Amino acid sequence: MDADELRNNPVQVLDRLQTFLGVKSFFDYHSRLRFEAKKGFFCQVTETNSTKCLGPGKGRKYAKMDKKSETFLREYYLS
């Protein structure tokens, strides 16, 4: 799962995840997630059709991982 794709297209990514896992599609992400322009990301749609977004401390940006660490993690988890 690509984190950038998840952030930009969560509905499609989560639909594909359900398919990949072989589980019955029991949650309709199309009706429960909506892009909120003010926040710049997708938010949960509430039962009253408003949006509920994460607070300002969420969605932080991280420094790019150094190549040595990336190589170690890939070898560890993909072997």
Side-chain angles (χ1 to χ4, degrees):
M1 182 180 305
D2 182 283
D4 288 329
E5 187 180 6
L6 178 61
R7 184 181 67 241
N8 296 321
N9 300 304
V11 172
Q12 292 84 0
V13 172
L14 293 169
D15 282 344
R16 284 197 320 262
L17 178 62
Q18 288 183 115
T19 301
F20 173 78
L21 294 173
V23 297
K24 181 180 175 187
S25 183
F26 64 92
F27 194 83
D28 180 15
Y29 295 102
H30 296 272
S31 66
R32 302 299 290 172
L33 295 174
R34 180 185 307 146
F35 185 77
E36 184 62 53
K38 288 181 191 176
K39 290 283 194 173
F41 52 82
F42 284 81
C43 299
Q44 177 184 359
V45 177
T46 66
E47 298 204 6
T48 60
N49 203 32
S50 60
T51 55
K52 179 179 177 183
C53 298
L54 296 173
K58 302 296 179 189
R60 296 176 290 264
K61 298 202 182 268
Y62 296 95
K64 185 160 177 63
M65 182 182 297
D66 66 90
K67 199 65 175 168
K68 183 179 177 183
S69 297
E70 180 182 352
T71 300
F72 171 80
L73 291 170
R74 285 187 184 278
E75 289 174 359
Y76 182 82
Y77 286 106
L78 298 177
S79 61

